[in-house]
Amino acid sequence: MQAVDFDVKQFVLSSSTFGPADVVQLQDAISQDFSRYAVLRDAVQELERVEDRSPAMSVRLGVCFYVLGRYEGAAMALKNGDGGALARFYQGRALFAREKYKDAIESYAAAQTAGYNADQCAIAKSEAQRYSGEHAAALATLDALSGAVEQTADYLYQRGATVSAIGGNPTEVAALYERAVEIDPNHAGALFGLATENDRRGNDAQAQQLYERAVNRFPANVGALLNLGVLYEDQEKFERAQQCYERILDAYPNHPRAKLYLRDARASRDMFFDEEAQKRQDRLSQVLSIPVTDFELSVRSRNCLQKMGINTLGDLTRVTELQLLGSKNFGETSLVEIREMLGSKGLDLGQFAHESRPAEPVYEDTSMSADEIASLERPIADLNLSVRARKCMVRLGIATIGELLRRTGDDLLECKNFGVTSLNEVREKLTTHAMKLRGD
C-alpha cells in the first residue's frame, strides 16, 4: 500500500500483523498529509480505551505512541508487548528518546536476538553510544559493518554524525550527509545534520529549507525544531516559531529551552510594534554606522580619531567635546571640523554620550604566552554554540573567543533573542576551556 493511500485509522485499530515497512509507511503517510496526524492521535486514543489488549495490540499501540513522540507511553506499552523483534527494537527507540542509552542498547541487542535486522540494530546501537559520549565505540560499531548497509542513508548519517562528534573534517561530514539525503531525500537525521552544517556557514536560506524538510518527519528531531524556531524568530515569524516549540513540548513537557523559547516567541508576537518608529530607528542606525573614513578629514583629525578607537559616526555621538579635546594634538580646529561632519548628517557631538560603555579591557600580548594568545584568536565556531547563541555572536560582531571574553553577561543579554539559557550555555562552553566572560 502506497503512503498516499494509507489508511491510518485502519492501521492503528487493525489486528493484522505488521512489520518495519508498515511503520515507515505510517510515517510517510503523516509526512505527506499532516491532517493524518490528528487521525493517528484520535485512533491511538481509541486503542488506549480497549480493555484487555493482547500483547500484539500493545506493540501496535507502543509503535504508534513512538511515532506521535509520546516516548514514555511507547516504552510502557512495548514493555507489555509480545517480546518480539519489532517490540524490542522500538522499545529501544523509545528508551533512546528518553536518554536511557544503556537500556536502549540492551533492547537493540534483544531485538537482534529475536530476529530484527542485525545491521539496523548495530546502527541504532552506534547512535546510542555516540549520545552517551562513547564516540570511539560508536565508530568501532560502524566500522564493523560492511556490504550493502554502507550505502544506506541510516549508515551514512550515523557515520557523518560520529565523525562530527569526534571533531573530524567538516567537509567529510557534509559529504556523508549529502550522500544520505541523495539516497533518502526524507531522512530526518541527515537533513538535520546537513541543515546544521549550512547553519554554521551562515547559509540561512538553505539551512531553513533543510530544517523544514527534517521536521516534516515524525517523530520530529528536537534539534531541528529548536533551530528552525530560532530562524523563524529572526524573520519575525513568531507564530511559526511558537508551533516549533510547542511540538517539542508535546513530547518533552519540561524541555527547558523549548519552554523559554516559547515564552519569548509569544511575548514577541504580542508585542506592540510601531512600524514608523522602527523605520526611523533603522535609518538612524544606518547613519550611525557610517565610517568616519568616508569623510574628507585632516590628517591630524583622522589620526586622533584612530588613536581614540573612534571608527563610526555613532562612536562620535557617544563622546563629548571635552573627551576629544583631551586627546593629544586635538584642538579647536579639529573640533570644528568634526562638528561640521556630524551636522551634515543631522547629528551632534556627544548626543548619545549617556549610552557610552566603559572601555573594554585590552589583552596585553606581551604578558601572555604564545598558547594563550592562540587560544584567544581561535574562531568562535570552536565553542560549538547553539544556533541562537551563534546568531547573537554574529549580531555583536564577535568573531573570536578573545572578543567574546571582553563582553559581560549583560552585554550578551542585550542582543535580540538571546536569553538566560543561551548565556548559561556560553558560560558552560567557556568553562570547559577554563575561561570566563568579563565580570564573571
Side-chain angles (χ1 to χ4, degrees):
M1 182 185 295
Q2 296 298 316
V4 69
D5 300 322
F6 194 87
D7 189 326
V8 172
K9 185 173 182 178
Q10 179 183 346
F11 172 83
V12 176
L13 300 177
S14 173
S15 58
S16 62
T17 58
F18 70 105
D22 299 298
V23 180
V24 173
Q25 280 192 319
L26 173 63
Q27 293 170 309
D28 287 343
I30 300 172
S31 296
Q32 292 170 13
D33 182 356
F34 185 64
S35 66
R36 288 172 170 155
Y37 183 88
V39 176
L40 174 61
R41 184 188 57 218
D42 294 343
V44 166
Q45 289 178 347
E46 188 174 338
L47 182 56
E48 277 188 280
R49 291 193 292 267
V50 174
E51 297 180 1
D52 300 324
R53 286 189 302 271
S54 67
M57 290 176 69
S58 291
V59 173
R60 190 180 295 269
L61 178 61
V63 169
C64 291
F65 271 149
Y66 172 77
V67 174
L68 286 172
R70 294 171 57 183
Y71 303 119
E72 185 173 357
M76 290 180 62
L78 290 165
K79 188 176 181 180
N80 296 323
D82 57 15
L86 188 73
R88 294 291 191 183
F89 184 80
Y90 276 94
Q91 187 175 24
R93 300 304 298 153
L95 290 166
F96 170 82
R98 296 174 64 203
E99 300 182 1
K100 296 186 176 182
Y101 306 125
K102 182 178 179 180
D103 292 339
I105 290 172
E106 291 177 359
S107 287
Y108 296 143
Q112 182 176 341
T113 300
Y116 204 87
N117 183 282
D119 290 337
Q120 288 299 313
C121 291
I123 290 172
K125 174 185 176 182
S126 74
E127 182 179 39
Q129 289 172 322
R130 171 166 56 85
Y131 269 81
S132 62
E134 300 174 17
H135 301 153
L139 191 59
T141 299
L142 293 172
D143 285 342
L145 298 175
S146 61
V149 67
E150 294 179 283
Q151 300 306 315
T152 63
D154 281 342
Y155 176 89
L156 292 168
Y157 160 62
Q158 293 299 341
R159 189 163 196 90
T162 305
V163 171
S164 177
I166 62 177
N169 188 336
T171 303
E172 179 188 357
V173 172
L176 287 164
Y177 290 152
E178 286 170 353
R179 284 174 58 196
V181 172
E182 286 175 6
I183 294 169
D184 180 0
N186 297 315
H187 195 284
L191 288 168
F192 169 61
L194 196 55
T196 303
E197 292 301 315
N198 276 274
D199 212 339
R200 288 172 179 164
R201 291 168 172 76
N203 303 327
D204 286 359
Q206 180 68 8
Q208 179 175 328
Q209 182 187 51
L210 291 164
Y211 282 136
E212 287 173 339
R213 288 169 60 189
V215 303
N216 197 40
R217 302 296 295 175
F218 293 84
N221 182 290
V222 172
L225 286 168
L226 276 175
N227 293 356
L228 180 59
V230 171
L231 288 176
Y232 282 150
E233 285 189 64
D234 284 342
Q235 300 165 24
E236 298 185 354
K237 297 177 179 177
F238 299 113
E239 189 169 350
R240 288 190 179 183
Q242 182 176 328
Q243 291 169 354
C244 290
Y245 305 142
E246 286 173 343
R247 281 183 63 184
I248 296 171
L249 293 171
D250 281 343
Y252 302 97
N254 296 315
H255 194 286
R257 187 168 292 180
K259 288 170 71 175
L260 179 63
Y261 287 9
L262 177 61
R263 186 168 64 248
D264 290 346
R266 283 174 174 167
S268 298
R269 187 190 66 181
D270 297 337
M271 189 182 301
F272 175 76
F273 185 74
D274 186 337
E275 188 172 356
E276 282 306 314
Q278 184 64 44
K279 287 181 180 178
R280 289 194 297 271
Q281 182 61 41
D282 288 344
R283 287 194 293 269
L284 177 60
S285 297
Q286 290 175 358
V287 173
L288 294 176
S289 65
I290 296 174
V292 294
T293 52
D294 284 3
F295 297 86
E296 292 292 334
L297 294 174
S298 65
V299 174
R300 175 170 291 184
S301 296
R302 193 180 301 278
N303 288 341
C304 286
L305 295 181
Q306 185 176 4
K307 287 178 182 177
M308 295 180 70
I310 295 174
N311 301 308
T312 66
L313 297 187
D315 293 338
L316 278 170
T317 65
R318 289 187 285 271
V319 296
T320 64
E321 292 185 5
L322 287 175
Q323 286 174 314
L324 284 179
L325 290 171
S327 178
K328 186 179 179 181
N329 297 328
F330 194 95
E332 289 290 342
T333 302
S334 295
L335 186 61
V336 171
E337 189 178 16
I338 295 300
R339 284 176 182 156
E340 291 177 351
M341 178 182 70
L342 287 171
S344 70
K345 295 297 182 180
L347 300 172
D348 293 317
L349 189 62
Q351 73 180 89
F352 297 127
H354 60 284
E355 296 181 1
S356 62
R357 292 179 176 174
E360 294 179 348
V362 177
Y363 290 99
E364 296 291 342
D365 291 353
T366 55
S367 64
M368 302 174 66
S369 68
D371 287 343
E372 288 173 328
I373 295 172
S375 294
L376 295 178
E377 292 177 348
R378 287 167 57 193
I380 203 72
D382 285 0
L383 292 180
N384 252 344
L385 297 172
S386 65
V387 173
R388 176 166 289 196
R390 287 201 306 273
K391 297 289 183 186
C392 175
M393 301 300 111
V394 172
R395 291 193 187 100
L396 293 174
I398 297 173
T400 67
I401 292 176
E403 291 170 356
L404 174 60
L405 297 182
R406 297 185 186 115
R407 303 282 185 158
T408 66
D410 289 340
D411 291 339
L412 300 181
L413 288 172
E414 290 178 7
C415 186
K416 178 185 177 184
N417 292 335
F418 190 94
V420 175
T421 300
S422 297
L423 177 60
N424 289 337
E425 176 195 352
V426 169
R427 284 173 167 155
E428 288 172 6
K429 297 287 187 180
L430 288 175
T431 299
T432 62
H433 295 276
M435 297 177 178
K436 292 182 179 180
L437 292 171
R438 182 162 65 93
D440 282 3

